[in-house]
Amino acid sequence: MPTVENASPADDNAQAGAQGIADQDWATASASPQYRAAVVDLLGALAYGELAAFERLAEDAKLAPTLGDKAELAKMASAEFHHFERLRDRLAAIDAEPTAAMEPFAKGVDDFHRQTAPSDWLEGLVKAYVGDSIASDFYREVATHLDTDTRALVVGVLDDTGHGGFAVEKVRAAIEADPRVGGRLALWARRLMGEALSQAQRVVAERDALSTMLVGGVDGMAAGFDLAAVGEMFTRITKAHTKRMAALGLAA
């Protein structure tokens, strides 16, 4: 058995492979064409999601009951667009055409938003807080298996734009003023949970490179979840959702 002093280059290469993508930078990890394709898919999905969030928040601002509320949503929409710009610029920097990277995910995201269009201001707030947070939880889980450079970008664009505390304050105040509102919003939030989880699963299942990275690893490197870990991931996302429901004053 080789000692540290006389270890061969082959031993060094094996150790580097065992190190896994999560310990590598982009320049090293992107040598795998399959991993690079998976990252382009991931950034494309995130970029279109942020663009759609910008559009939705700008639209929801029209439902705001006060000028101050309208301004708050406009600020959040601006933050989402800035996140989109960061992702778009990163795609261009790694020689991926941003529009082409986003295109495969546009219909799924648009369908999700059509199926979960809020009927009023409060439903819009719950969607922004609950629905967006479920998606963010999913992408944060994925980020733990990315190279260090891509992980830093993904975590950065998933930062709360401020709608978390804002939504909690407004929804709790509405329930206090009229407790009947709570039952309706709880049903709405449960629907959002199911739709958001289904959307996250579709994002992965429909893109071979992305699903391979998450479940099987890439080119023998320890990148992905195993099947048991996938179940654990969705359990953690569900628990986080339950805590957010409690923060809103809603029954999960």
Side-chain angles (χ1 to χ4, degrees):
M1 178 177 180
T3 64
V4 172
E5 290 78 7
N6 61 6
S8 68
D11 295 319
D12 292 338
N13 291 339
Q15 185 176 359
Q19 183 184 39
I21 288 174
D23 297 312
Q24 299 175 10
D25 60 13
W26 168 253
T28 303
S30 62
S32 162
Q34 193 171 41
Y35 177 73
R36 185 185 184 282
V39 168
V40 169
D41 273 352
L42 181 66
L43 297 184
L46 265 172
Y48 192 77
E50 294 289 350
L51 184 59
F54 157 73
E55 293 177 326
R56 191 194 73 243
L57 285 169
E59 187 68 20
D60 287 352
K62 297 177 183 178
L63 301 173
T66 71
L67 183 58
D69 293 335
K70 188 185 296 287
E72 189 67 27
L73 282 190
K75 183 175 72 173
M76 295 174 199
S78 177
E80 298 286 11
F81 191 76
H82 178 60
H83 291 166
F84 160 74
E85 290 179 314
R86 291 181 62 189
L87 292 159
R88 178 200 61 194
D89 293 348
R90 178 60 176 166
L91 283 163
I94 62 174
D95 298 321
E97 205 288 310
T99 301
M102 291 188 290
E103 188 63 37
F105 306 100
K107 183 180 185 303
V109 173
D110 290 346
D111 285 348
F112 169 75
H113 286 305
R114 275 194 295 270
Q115 292 161 3
T116 58
S119 62
D120 61 19
W121 158 250
L122 290 173
E123 286 190 3
L125 285 180
V126 171
K127 180 179 176 180
Y129 181 55
V130 171
D132 289 359
S133 295
I134 292 168
S136 294
D137 286 345
F138 170 71
Y139 286 118
R140 284 193 182 91
E141 293 276 358
V142 173
T144 64
H145 299 273
L146 299 173
D147 66 272
T148 55
D149 298 316
T150 305
R151 181 166 65 247
L153 171 64
V154 170
V155 171
V157 299
L158 294 175
D159 281 347
D160 183 18
T161 57
H163 60 244
F166 180 73
V168 168
E169 176 189 348
K170 296 295 180 179
V171 170
R172 290 188 75 94
I175 294 172
E176 185 176 347
D178 182 1
R180 294 173 299 176
V181 169
R184 174 172 66 87
L185 294 181
L187 289 173
W188 170 244
R190 285 195 284 274
R191 179 184 167 195
L192 290 171
M193 174 69 175
E195 294 285 355
L197 286 179
S198 295
Q199 171 65 16
Q201 290 166 338
R202 283 194 297 269
V203 165
V204 176
E206 294 176 3
R207 304 297 293 180
D208 289 344
L210 195 54
S211 60
T212 298
M213 181 188 75
L214 291 180
V215 179
V218 177
D219 292 350
M221 291 183 282
F225 298 94
D226 59 30
L227 291 177
V230 171
E232 292 169 1
M233 174 185 72
F234 283 110
T235 296
R236 287 192 296 272
I237 291 173
T238 301
K239 287 181 178 178
H241 167 74
T242 300
K243 290 181 180 178
R244 290 191 188 98
M245 292 283 281
L248 288 169
L250 301 175

